[in-house]
Amino acid sequence: MIIGKTITAQAHPNIALVKYWGKRRKEGNIPAVGSISITLDTLYSRTSIRLEPALRGDRFIFNGAPAPEAQRRRVQMFLDIFRRRAGRAVFARIESENNFPTAAGLASSASGFAALAVAANRAFQLHLEERELSRLARQGSGSAARSIFGGFVEMHAGTRPDGSDAFAEPLLAPEAWPLRVVICITSRQEKSIGSTEGMERTAATSPFYSAWVSSSKDDLAEIRRAIRGKNFRELTEVSEHSCLKMHGLILSARPGILYWNGTTVELIHRIRALQRDGVPVFFTIDAGPQVKAVCLPEALSDVVGALKRVDGVREVLVTGLGQGARIVEGDG
Ligand code: DP6
C-alpha cells in the first residue's frame, strides 16, 4: 500500500456503437447484453487518490468541490472492493475532474470509475491486470469497464451468476482505424433520468425488452465483422440500428423516457442528408440529448461545417480515438 502519496490516473470516456442497456444482475452492474464501444481521446477524467490512515471515511472532491453525499458513498462503496482485496481498511482522499460537461450523456461515470480503478489498483498495490480492472470498473458503472482499454472495445455480458465472465477486452487499436467523432452539445442540463434508473424501468415495463436482449447477439457479430474488415458502411448500419433500437426500447417503457430534444432530431436528419450526399458519417446517441457523429477522417471538415450550423447546437467538440486508462502521476 502506498500511504500519503498522491497517485493520479487518467481515462477517457467511451461511446458505445452497439449499446449496453439493461442488467442481468443489478449488484455489480452485470450487463444483460454485450456492447462494443470506441474510447475517445481529448476528453478525459483525471482522478487522484491519496491513502490517509487518519481519515474516518473517504473524502471525494469532484470538479473542485466536495461531491454530494450520494456520489461520495458510491465512490466509497467502490473503494471498499479494493480495501477488501488489500485486507486494509484505510480511507482515501479522492479528487476527480473532467474536462467536459458532466452527466449530459457523455459518460463521465465511465471515464471517472475507470481512472479510479487504475489509481486505486496502484495505491493499494494490488497489481491487477487490465481484464480484472475492467471487472472492477464495471462495479462502479457498467460502461466504465470499457474505458480501461483504448480504441475499439468489447464488453462481454457473460453468463456466470457472479459476473466473473462479464469483462471488457480490446478489439482494435485506435491507430488501426482512426475514426473521428464530432460531439454536438445540444443542452447543458443534467439528464432527468440516469441510465441506472432508466434501465431498471425499461426492463420492468417495456414489452420489447426480451427482443432487445435476444437481438443483441446478431448486432455484436455484425459489428465485430465491420471492425475487423474496417467496413464503414457496415459499421454505420449496425451502429445506427443499435442506437435507434435502444431509444425505441426506452420510449416503450412505462412511463416512456425520451432523452432527445428537438435539436437531437434535427441533427439526425442532417446526418442522414450528409449520407445521401455520400459523406461517410453516422450518428449515435446515449442517455441524453447530445449527438455524436462518427466519420472517416477525410469527411471531418464537411461534417463539422454542416452540424455546427444546425439551429440549437451549442457547441461542437472534435475528438479521435484514444488510449485506455493509465497512471499519469505518482508512478514508481
Ligand atoms: C446509454 O454505464 O452509465 O451510455 O451501469 O447503471 O452505471 P450503469 O449505467 P451506464 O450506462 C450506459 C448506457 C449507455 C449505453 C452504453 O454506454 O453502452
Side-chain angles (χ1 to χ4, degrees):
M1 237 177 18
I2 304 174
I3 299 283
K5 183 172 166 195
T6 302
I7 292 160
T8 305
Q10 179 171 309
H12 302 282
N14 70 77
I15 294 177
L17 302 181
V18 166
K19 305 289 187 190
Y20 150 52
W21 195 261
K23 301 178 193 193
R24 62 184 172 86
R25 202 185 75 189
K26 186 178 174 184
E27 195 205 344
N29 300 317
I30 305 177
V33 293
S35 54
I36 290 183
S37 60
I38 45 179
T39 300
L40 305 179
D41 63 5
T42 333
L43 313 180
Y44 61 81
S45 296
R46 213 168 251 188
T47 304
S48 303
I49 184 168
R50 193 167 76 217
L51 300 180
E52 294 188 12
L55 289 176
R56 290 282 155 267
D58 292 317
R59 300 283 164 81
F60 181 35
I61 307 289
F62 182 64
N63 282 343
E69 179 55 18
Q71 231 174 309
R72 193 201 66 81
R73 255 209 311 271
R74 193 170 166 196
V75 163
Q76 180 154 313
M77 276 165 63
F78 184 67
L79 288 179
D80 283 346
I81 306 171
F82 291 82
R83 281 186 276 266
R84 272 199 301 275
R85 293 259 180 137
R88 300 286 296 273
V90 177
F91 290 104
R93 212 173 278 281
I94 303 109
E95 278 191 46
S96 189
E97 55 181 47
N98 296 334
N99 70 342
F100 58 96
T102 300
L106 285 183
S108 67
S109 62
S111 46
F113 279 109
L116 184 55
V118 167
N121 179 44
R122 181 61 55 89
F124 286 99
Q125 289 187 303
L126 293 175
H127 308 292
L128 303 172
E129 36 104 37
E130 286 175 323
R131 179 175 291 191
E132 182 60 7
L133 285 176
S134 82
R135 283 193 198 93
L136 294 183
R138 185 197 78 224
Q139 300 184 47
S141 182
S143 53
R146 300 185 308 236
S147 276
I148 294 293
F149 300 101
F152 293 78
V153 180
E154 174 158 12
M155 172 75 195
H156 300 284
T159 53
R160 291 188 209 137
D162 65 355
S164 55
D165 53 355
F167 55 81
E169 63 183 344
L171 289 179
L172 188 69
E175 317 74 56
W177 200 14
L179 303 181
R180 295 285 180 271
V181 182
V182 179
I183 300 171
C184 302
I185 309 278
T186 65
S187 165
R188 292 193 180 283
Q189 276 172 4
E190 296 226 348
K191 61 191 168 203
S192 48
I193 300 166
S195 317
T196 308
E197 189 191 339
M199 285 183 199
E200 266 179 58
R201 189 190 299 175
T202 312
T205 62
S206 169
F208 303 146
Y209 185 69
S210 60
W212 160 258
V213 173
S214 61
S215 65
S216 75
K217 286 195 181 64
D218 290 345
D219 297 345
L220 291 165
E222 192 179 340
I223 198 168
R224 272 187 224 111
R225 198 167 57 227
I227 293 168
R228 217 179 300 124
K230 297 184 196 163
N231 182 333
F232 193 79
R233 192 192 46 75
E234 202 175 8
L235 192 73
T236 296
E237 273 179 33
V238 64
S239 301
E240 290 192 354
H241 172 63
S242 176
C243 166
L244 293 175
K245 189 165 55 171
M246 180 186 79
H247 284 278
L249 172 77
I250 294 170
L251 281 168
S252 74
R254 202 165 162 170
I257 305 166
L258 175 57
Y259 283 115
W260 301 357
N261 59 33
T263 308
T264 315
V265 178
E266 285 307 320
L267 282 162
I268 294 174
H269 286 304
R270 193 69 195 90
I271 291 165
R272 288 268 162 104
L274 286 168
Q275 290 171 345
R276 284 194 294 276
D277 291 342
V279 178
V281 59
F282 65 85
F283 61 82
T284 189
I285 305 158
D286 291 310
Q290 328 303 5
V291 175
K292 292 96 172 190
V294 181
C295 66
L296 289 176
E298 60 267 28
L300 183 63
S301 60
D302 284 348
V303 171
V304 171
L307 300 188
K308 74 176 183 211
R309 276 199 293 276
V310 170
D311 257 3
V313 171
R314 285 156 193 260
E315 196 182 341
V316 165
L317 310 170
V318 176
T319 81
L321 305 196
Q323 306 293 329
R326 61 210 177 270
I327 301 286
V328 290
E329 248 177 74
D331 208 357

